[in-house]
């Protein structure tokens, strides 16, 4: 993975961490050093966080965070030629691949919540989102009550399944949830009229819409059911490794590089269709940049 213009800032953060964390390598860092390899995850359709722009070419906001963290690990270990393995993951297998040691880092579109924190660790939050709906224009769907008795696509292994299921039960909507194996599959269920709506994190819906076959035929509607933070996922009980990753992310936030990355991926035209997502930074994220936090959703 190529290093971006963030390299100087990242290496400065890594140097500072090296001075404060001492000579003892954390377990994850020791594992990486012994194997001379770091394995990181990417998603294939989590636009604009982590997605493919060509065969085996992951790009996106979270990919750039991954690159910055990899640069810091190389600096920390004194291994500029450290091998970096890329592994595509899904919502379903990303957590098991961290817990079993296959992956050293997963930066995608993963919600940081208390249930997942029993199995993995999370870095500083880098985005905030809520569950909304992607529908076809003209479908007559403006919010969740319009979906009573209808089929709604949701990607397997996401927190959105529980959120929508609870809302449906509480409001007696009798929503029929249809599982998509990944985000692109869930989108296809709507495009092919096998589901009336796709319920997912709003930012992912905006990204999928902008890169769909006919963006003008789709719209994101409805109130957000909840607000959840995204964060990079790490092996649990490794405070030294978490300190390194947190240091990289907070360093980017303090230097202003994080804001530039946000503008690049959320406000400017992006591949493959050269269209912008057009989503300004939320108040929650602005507050988190001022006071970085890894606080999970409940």
């Amino acid at each position: 993975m190529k290093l971006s213009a963030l390299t100087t800032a990242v290496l400065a953060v890594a140097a500072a961490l090296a001075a404060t964390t001492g000579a003892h390598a954390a377990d994850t860092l020791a594992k990486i050093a012994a194997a001379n390899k770091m394995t990181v995850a990417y998603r294939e359709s989590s636009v604009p966080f982590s997605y493919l722009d060509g065969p085996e070419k992951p790009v996106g906001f979270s990919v750039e965070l991954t690159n910055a963290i990899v640069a810091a690990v190389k600096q920390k270990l004194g291994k500029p030629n450290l091998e970096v393995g890329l592994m595509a993951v899904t919502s379903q297998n990303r957590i098991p691949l961290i817990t079993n040691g296959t992956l050293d880092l997963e930066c995608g579109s993963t919600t940081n919540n208390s249930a997942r924190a029993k199995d993995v660790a999370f870095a500083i939050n880098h985005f905030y989102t809520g569950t909304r709906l992607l529908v076809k224009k003209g479908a007559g769907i403006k919010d969740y009550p319009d979906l009573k008795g209808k089929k709604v696509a949701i990607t397997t292994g996401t927190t959105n399944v529980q959120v929508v299921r609870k809302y449906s039960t509480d409001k007696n909507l009798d929503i029929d949830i249809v599982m998509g194996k990944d985000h692109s599959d869930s989108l296809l269920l709507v495009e092919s009229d096998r589901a009336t709506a796709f319920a997912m994190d709003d930012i992912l819906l905006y990204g999928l819409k902008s890169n769909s076959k006919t963006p003008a035929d789709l719209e994101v509607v409805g109130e957000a059911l909840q607000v959840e933070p995204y964060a990079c996922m790490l092996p649990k009980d490794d405070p030294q490794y978490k300190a390194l990753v947190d240091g990289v992310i907070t360093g980017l936030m303090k230097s202003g590089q994080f804001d530039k990355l946000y503008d690049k991926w959320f406000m400017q035209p992006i591949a493959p269709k050269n269209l912008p997502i057009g989503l300004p930074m939320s108040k929650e994220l602005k507050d988190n940049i001022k006071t970085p936090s890894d606080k999970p959703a409940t």
Side-chain angles (χ1 to χ4, degrees):
M1 297 165 74
K2 283 188 175 181
L3 299 183
S4 66
L6 305 175
T7 303
T8 302
V10 170
L11 295 184
V13 171
L17 284 166
T20 58
T21 56
H24 176 69
D27 290 346
T28 304
L29 293 173
K31 167 180 167 286
I32 293 170
N36 197 35
K37 181 178 181 180
M38 181 177 183
T39 304
V40 300
Y42 68 90
R43 300 295 297 272
E44 295 183 324
S45 58
S46 287
V47 183
F49 295 94
S50 182
Y51 65 103
L52 290 176
D53 181 30
E56 298 183 7
K57 185 188 174 184
V59 297
F61 180 80
S62 296
V63 173
E64 296 223 38
L65 293 182
T66 299
N67 291 345
I69 293 163
V70 168
V73 170
K74 288 181 176 180
Q75 176 75 6
K76 171 70 176 175
L77 297 178
K79 288 180 174 288
N81 297 317
L82 180 73
E83 181 183 352
V84 180
L86 306 179
M87 180 176 290
V89 299
T90 65
S91 299
Q92 221 169 357
N93 67 15
R94 58 189 167 176
I95 293 175
L97 288 171
I98 287 283
T99 58
N100 70 15
T102 301
L103 289 172
D104 302 307
L105 177 71
E106 190 271 346
C107 293
S109 52
T110 300
T111 297
N112 170 11
N113 65 26
S114 300
R116 289 172 172 172
K118 295 176 183 178
D119 300 313
V120 298
F122 286 96
I124 295 297
N125 297 330
H126 61 249
F127 195 80
Y128 291 83
T129 187
T131 303
R132 296 179 66 196
L133 302 166
L134 183 68
V135 299
K136 283 187 173 180
K137 289 181 180 178
I141 306 299
K142 296 302 178 185
D143 212 337
Y144 289 91
D146 299 323
L147 291 169
K148 185 175 177 64
K150 298 185 183 299
K151 293 183 183 296
V152 175
I154 309 179
T155 304
T156 300
T158 62
T159 58
N160 312 83
V161 176
Q162 290 77 25
V163 170
V164 173
R165 186 172 286 148
K166 182 179 186 304
Y167 186 86
S168 176
T169 300
D170 291 347
K171 302 295 183 180
N172 194 31
L173 295 179
D174 194 30
I175 289 174
D176 183 6
I177 295 176
V178 183
M179 298 293 192
K181 64 181 181 180
D182 54 29
H183 298 325
S184 57
D185 186 45
S186 296
L187 172 63
L188 182 59
L189 289 170
V190 173
E191 291 178 323
S192 61
D193 295 317
R194 285 176 287 164
T196 303
F198 175 16
M200 185 48 55
D201 302 343
D202 56 2
I203 179 55
L204 297 181
L205 297 180
Y206 277 106
L208 289 162
K209 173 182 177 293
S210 70
N211 286 298
S212 66
K213 296 174 183 176
T214 53
D217 293 346
L218 302 169
E219 61 182 341
V220 179
V221 301
E223 294 296 320
L225 293 188
Q226 89 292 26
V227 176
E228 295 184 340
Y230 285 174
C232 295
M233 195 162 47
L234 319 168
K236 192 173 175 61
D237 299 325
D238 194 341
Q240 289 174 299
Y241 183 52
K242 175 172 162 55
L244 185 148
V245 174
D246 284 348
V248 171
I249 296 171
T250 55
L252 295 176
M253 289 177 171
K254 290 176 182 177
S255 71
Q257 290 292 334
F258 188 93
D259 292 66
K260 292 178 181 178
L261 276 181
Y262 189 96
D263 181 72
K264 174 182 176 180
W265 290 104
F266 294 90
M267 302 303 296
Q268 302 303 317
I270 60 172
K273 293 195 173 182
N274 204 36
L275 295 173
I277 299 294
L279 186 67
M281 190 179 290
S282 67
K283 179 184 181 299
E284 290 86 357
L285 184 53
K286 288 179 180 177
D287 290 344
N288 197 69
I289 290 173
K290 293 177 182 176
T291 310
S293 170
D294 62 359
K295 183 179 179 180
T298 54

